């Protein structure tokens, strides 16, 4: 390294670098004694670069605090700070570390900052919106990017004044065609712009970053290196950079998800894992020639907040946002230093006009490309319009990838001074273009979005905000009213307190909007305020806004259920994704029938299990009846011994060796006679086994699938032997040889006999997977019902209009009832699965309560923090053991359920009485069942199979006569159709015996016919006794039963 020029005094020199001292040795020694020697004020060999890193972070935090309410971009200020440092270091040699920063390795720069930015951007994306807009993103990121490169490269080649070659112009176009996924959406993320547009911007930036890296490296290598097979190399590069990267990212996401699933409630490990794996996966992908950007995109898209432990989402997002902010601070500080150090001698007035031309050109070319692709974009995904296109054009910020590729190009060896100048000017123009997009585009894109009306606050949104503000003000008034009665706060200055706490309406309203929000009429009779009837279009708008808010509330409910442990990870991800997919479907509410598609698509395992169950070979002797003949009985005993099957399997294993040797040409030619004898020997054993089974099983032998397969093996083997012996003395020909080869391959069928004993294990594995799927199904249905119940409490606050409230209530109630039906069907068909899920949820609920109680005791000082930590560990261990509960649990018996009824208090006499009473009731009234009639729905009654219909709860209306009936009452037989007029209506249907409700003997029929004659009177008496207690009702039922029994006995005697 050449000696650096020095001033009169010695300066700080990093360790390991030799320099030439100044001429004034005396002054130097005096300075040295003062700084490093006697006084020890400044110590040598300090890591100044590390100090600069942390100082830049502190400056970034200071700027974020000071400039928070201004429009000045923080990164622009950081860039200028780096520029000043670089310029100062250019004129003085007191800052040697700046030159080391300016020579930073581009590969280190890429691996240091890219993983943070790519993973953060992909992790924050909405996967379900991205999935629908994938083809739009792909059109923008691949053909759109290539068009942008071509146009920009051609334009640069034509108008630049630096005599750049075509290759230099194309590399410049490639570098400036990429956009930053974080900076592009930072200015429009929280201003009310549709999530569809923000995800489209971010998705395009992510994928054109990946395309940029691939095209840049490929084009640079083709320009600067000689290649023999260009097409082959391009093909290999595309396979590695695209398909292999996608596969690697997918497998990495599965590995990380599996790892996260086995980390129990340890947030530190989860954050460290997400941080480290982002860098490891990016490094490995780049190391093996793949695209680290695409691999990280796949990882971030397939992971979400639900992939981590409950309650980790907020901390995780803040952690990655902090890393992204610090990464951008360091990027722009370094690039400011690099540009100042390398391009300062080339800066002049002509360069200034060239920079402005480049900035205008890249925006013009991007607008032209978006305009060209808009007909295709409008027919894909969510559609496209010119306003979206304008935002897409203006939000294209040049950031990390532009600066990194310009730095990489400037660091490549230069053959001539002209080549060095071209690379330096490319670095200068790329850095200034990135700076101008931050100064101009990022500060004006918000104004553009507002001007285009893409974040207008509609009337329903304003109404919702108005209702929220009114509710908060009411809460404030109630709180102030209570606090004024407080003995400590009663003498506070309440006027000042109320003035300082007044919540203002956040949106600016004009006179017309205020009138729309508070539109009322005066009643001509009583002068009371009456709500103004809104137009159908306004009601439709309010309905749509309420639908979107209900979807948001549903997602919040599913997230809350997951955080509390009531939903497992897969079910929570499915429900949240399903709710998010309804956002863009106008007027569509989430219902259980469409949610069912998420578990019905996983039903192939049941079919596979059924097919494998048919092939299970049962070796128990109960499957066939033993014959009476002694010899056949002996054969039966031998065949149905487990040892017989083991011997058969060993024979198959032994036969597999000569079968494999037959296909080895050298061995087959040398040992052909021996292999032929082995074939005859094993074929005879198979024939003997089949004959023994046929004698033992008789006619049932042919009904077993494995026996049919054995017969096929034997037939194929016999034909194989016959063909070999038939063709032995003939002149060989190609048809003969091919025929022998085909039947030789037929011997491989014998190896499949080995699967006979492995089928039970396969079925056991399938059973475990099916149980997981059924648990997943129940979790989804249960979580959906709980979500419907949660949002039902919010309808009144969200609806904003009475008609909307009624309509939404009907829709949600209908959806809930359908979901409850699904739960009931699962309870009926899979009681063991449902019982296991309910048991797990019951334990989880109790453990959650214990955790909350422990937090309350710790916060109140009842329990010391150390003691609380020990108790918390015990609770966490119990939660961890929940995963070890069996997937199926036998449902409790009726007696067990009665012992768990709280108000019975495990009283033996009361439990026995209820068991006897229920037995009598079931014996005499087994032809009864209850029907639920929803509000405003009709139900047909009194068909030929009904004796009586009793309204036990709610109210109904006769559809013919209009007569209303209230519970409890017996509906008249002249009523054939009723309509529910209350939220919950229940009808007790008593079916006639002739209708086929149950089979009975003649005696029992007479008894039940006697009940049919007396039922109306008995039940009428029961319904009329509203003031009587439960014991008297039980006595009446008991009396009815005993009297019917005595009547039956008398008739039998007669």
């Amino acid at each position: 390294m050449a000696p650096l020029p020095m001033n009169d005094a010695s300066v700080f020199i990093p360790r390991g670098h030799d320099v030439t001292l100044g001429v004034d040795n005396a002054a130097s020694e005096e300075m040295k004694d003062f700084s490093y020697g006697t006084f020890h004020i400044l110590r040598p060999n300090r890591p100044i670069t590390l100090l600069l890193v942390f100082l830049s972070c502190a400056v970034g935090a200071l700027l974020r605090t000071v400039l928070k309410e201004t429009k000045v971009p923080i990164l622009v200020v950081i860039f200028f700070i780096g520029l000043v440092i670089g310029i100062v270091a250019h004129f003085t040699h007191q800052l040697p570390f700046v030159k080391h920063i300016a020579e930073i390795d581009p590969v280190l720069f890429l691996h240091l900052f890219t993983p943070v930015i790519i993973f953060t951007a992909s992790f924050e994306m909405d996967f379900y919106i991205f999935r629908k807009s994938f083809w739009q993103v792909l059109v923008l990121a691949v053909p759109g990017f290539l068009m942008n490169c071509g146009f920009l490269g051609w334009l640069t080649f034509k108008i630049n004044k630096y005599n750049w070659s075509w290759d230099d112009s194309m590399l410049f176009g490639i570098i400036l065609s990429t956009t930053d996924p974080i900076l592009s959406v930072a200015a429009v993320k929280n201003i009310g712009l549709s999530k569809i547009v923000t995800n489209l911007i971010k998705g395009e930036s992510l994928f054109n970053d990946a395309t940029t890296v691939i095209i840049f490296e490929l084009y640079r290598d083709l320009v600067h290196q000689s290649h023999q097979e260009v097409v082959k190399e391009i093909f290999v590069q595309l396979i590695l950079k695209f398909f292999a990267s996608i596969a690697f990212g997918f497998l990495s996401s599965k590995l990380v998800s599996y790892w996260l699933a086995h980390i129990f409630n340890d947030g530190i490990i989860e954050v460290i894992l997400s941080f480290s794996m982002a860098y490891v996966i990016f490094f490995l992908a780049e190391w093996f020639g793949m695209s680290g950007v695409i691999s990280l995109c796949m990882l971030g898209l397939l992971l979400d907040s639900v992939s981590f432990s409950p309650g980790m989402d907020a901390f995780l997002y803040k952690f990655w946002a902090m890393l992204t902010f610090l990464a951008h601070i360091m990027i722009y500080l370094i690039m400011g230093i690099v540009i100042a150090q390398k391009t300062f001698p080339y800066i002049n007035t002509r360069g200034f006009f060239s920079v402005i031309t480049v900035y205008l050109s890249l925006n013009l070319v991007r607008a032209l490309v978006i305009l060209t692709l808009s007909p295709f974009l409008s027919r894909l995904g969510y559609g496209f319009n010119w306003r979206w296109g304008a935002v897409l054009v203006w939000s294209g910020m040049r950031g990390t990838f532009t600066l990194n590729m310009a730095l990489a190009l400037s660091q490549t060896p230069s053959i001539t001074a002209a080549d060095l100048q071209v690379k330096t000017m490319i670095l200068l123009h790329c850095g200034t273009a990135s700076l101008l997009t931050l100064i101009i585009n990022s500060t004006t894109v918000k104004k553009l979005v507002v001007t285009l009306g893409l974040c207008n606050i509609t009337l329903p949104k304003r109404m919702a905000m108005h209702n929220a503000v009114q509710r908060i003000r009411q809460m404030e008034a109630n709180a102030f009213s209570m606090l004024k009665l407080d003995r400590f706060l009663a003498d506070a200055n309440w006027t000042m307190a109320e003035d300082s706490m007044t919540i203002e309406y956040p949106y600016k309203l004009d006179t017309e909007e205020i009138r729309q929000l508070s539109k009322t009429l005066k009643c001509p009779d009583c002068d009371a305020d009456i709500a103004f009837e809104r137009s159908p279009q306004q009601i439709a708008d309010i309905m749509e806004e309420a639908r979107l808010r209900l979807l948001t509330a549903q997602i919040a409910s599913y997230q809350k259920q997951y955080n509390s442990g009531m939903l497992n990870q897969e079910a929570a991800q499915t429900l949240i994704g399903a709710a998010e997919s309804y956002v863009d479907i106008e007027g569509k509410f989430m219902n259980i029938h469409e949610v069912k598609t998420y578990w019905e698509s996983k039903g192939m395992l049941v079919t596979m299990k059924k097919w494998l169950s048919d092939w299970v070979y049962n070796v128990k002797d109960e499957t066939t009846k033993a014959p009476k003949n002694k010899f056949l009985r002996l054969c039966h005993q031998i065949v149905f011994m487990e040892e017989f099957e083991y011997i058969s399997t060993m024979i198959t294993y032994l036969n597999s060796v000569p079968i494999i040797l037959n296909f080895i040409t050298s061995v087959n030619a040398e040992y052909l006679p021996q292999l032929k004898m082995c074939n005859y020997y094993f074929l005879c054993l198979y024939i003997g086994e089949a004959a023994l089974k046929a004698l033992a099983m008789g006619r049932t032998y042919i009904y077993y699938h494995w026996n049919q397969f054995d017969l096929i093996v034997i037939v194929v083997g016999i034909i194989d032997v016959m063909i070999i012996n038939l063709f032995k003395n003939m002149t060989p020909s190609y048809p003969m040889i091919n025929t022998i080869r085909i039947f030789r391959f037929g011997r491989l069928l014998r190896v499949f006999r080995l699967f006979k004993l492995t089928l039970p294990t396969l079925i056991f594995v399938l059973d475990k997977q099916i149980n997981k799927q059924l648990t997943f199904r129940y979790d989804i249905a249960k979580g959906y019902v709980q979500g419907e119940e949660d949002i039902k409490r919010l309808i009144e606050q969200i609806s904003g209009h009475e008609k909307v409230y009624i309509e939404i209530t009907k829709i949600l109630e209908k959806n809930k009832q359908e979901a409850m039906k699904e739960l009931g069907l699962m309870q009926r068909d899979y009681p063991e699965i449902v019982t296991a899920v309910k048991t797990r949820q019951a334990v989880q609920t109790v453990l959650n309560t214990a955790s909350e109680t422990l937090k309350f005791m710790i916060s109140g000082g009842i329990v010391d923090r150390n003691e609380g930590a020990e108790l918390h560990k015990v609770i966490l261990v119990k939660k961890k053991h929940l995963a070890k509960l069996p997937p199926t649990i036998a449902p409790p018996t009726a007696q067990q359920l009665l012992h768990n009824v709280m108000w019975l208090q495990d009283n033996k006499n009361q439990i026995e009485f209820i068991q006897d009473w229920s037995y009598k009731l079931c014996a005499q009234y087994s032809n009864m069942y209850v029907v639920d009639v929803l509000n405003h729905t009709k139900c047909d009654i009194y068909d030929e199979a009904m004796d009586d219909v009793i309204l036990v709860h709610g109210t109904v209306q006769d559809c013919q006569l209009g007569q209303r009936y209230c519970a409890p009452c017996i509906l008249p037989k002249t009523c054939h159709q009723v309509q529910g007029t209350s939220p919950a209506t229940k009808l007790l249907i008593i079916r006639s015996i002739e209708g086929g409700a149950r089979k009975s003997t003649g005696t029992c029929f007479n008894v039940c016919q006697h009940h049919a004659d007396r039922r109306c009177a008995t039940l009428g008496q029961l319904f009329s006794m509203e003031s009587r207690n439960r014991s008297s009702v039980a006595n009446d039922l008991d009396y009815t039963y005993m009297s019917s029994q005595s009547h039956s006995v008398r008739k039998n005697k007669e």
Side-chain angles (χ1 to χ4, degrees), residues 928-989:
M928 297 182 181
Y929 60 92
V930 177
V931 172
D932 290 327
V933 182
L934 299 177
N935 196 11
H936 305 297
T937 58
K938 297 179 180 180
C939 177
D940 295 327
I941 59 175
Y942 283 121
D943 56 12
E944 296 178 355
M946 295 184 187
D947 273 353
D948 297 293
V949 179
I950 305 166
L951 178 62
V952 294
H953 182 76
T955 58
V956 296
Q957 183 178 5
D958 190 338
C959 294
Q960 259 186 331
L961 304 177
Q963 179 69 33
R964 290 176 61 87
Y965 299 96
C966 298
C969 72
I970 303 175
L971 299 180
K973 295 192 176 182
T974 57
C975 181
H976 297 286
Q977 190 181 55
V978 293
Q979 180 177 359
T981 55
S982 64
T985 301
K986 296 183 182 295
L987 300 178
L988 178 65
I989 308 295

Side-chain angles (χ1 to χ4, degrees), residues 580-682:
E580 289 177 342
S581 66
Y582 279 84
V583 172
D584 61 300
I585 307 175
E586 187 173 350
K588 189 74 172 177
F589 285 82
M590 187 176 174
N591 61 76
I592 194 64
H593 294 296
E594 296 186 12
V595 176
K596 282 171 62 177
T597 57
Y598 290 95
W599 72 65
E600 287 176 348
S601 60
K602 299 184 177 183
M604 295 179 59
L605 294 180
V606 178
T607 305
M608 189 183 298
K609 178 194 171 185
K610 184 179 179 182
W611 184 77
L612 290 177
S613 299
D614 294 338
W615 279 81
V616 172
Y617 189 80
N618 196 345
V619 297
K620 294 182 179 179
D621 54 2
E622 291 87 356
T623 55
T624 58
K625 188 176 180 181
K628 296 180 180 179
N629 186 281
K630 292 183 179 180
F631 175 72
L632 297 180
R633 187 180 300 169
L634 178 63
C635 294
H636 186 274
Q637 292 175 356
I638 294 173
V639 166
F640 286 97
M641 292 173 60
E642 291 187 0
E643 290 80 0
F644 183 82
E645 285 301 320
Y646 295 146
I647 293 172
S648 175
T649 305
M650 289 300 301
I651 291 173
T652 306
Y653 273 117
L654 293 173
N655 191 18
S656 62
V657 177
I659 290 174
I660 295 172
L661 294 177
N662 266 311
F663 293 97
I664 303 175
T665 307
S666 58
V667 177
N668 187 26
E670 186 176 354
Y671 299 100
L672 182 62
Q674 290 84 353
L675 293 175
K676 187 184 296 184
M677 290 302 298
C678 285
N679 184 36
Y680 295 160
Y681 174 74
F682 283 108

Side-chain angles (χ1 to χ4, degrees), residues 55-74:
L55 279 176
S56 62
C57 295
V59 171
L62 176 64
L63 291 174
R64 188 180 176 93
T65 305
V66 175
L67 303 178
K68 192 171 185 179
E69 302 299 329
T70 66
K71 295 183 178 181
V72 179
I74 297 173

Side-chain angles (χ1 to χ4, degrees), residues 133 215 425 493-494 517 526 577 653 684 785 889 916 934 939 948 1001 1025:
S133 60
I215 300 299
M425 293 307 297
N493 190 332
W494 293 109
L517 290 177
C526 59
Y653 273 117
C684 291
V785 171
I889 299 175
D916 295 339
L934 299 177
C939 177
D948 297 293
T1001 60
M1025 296 183 296

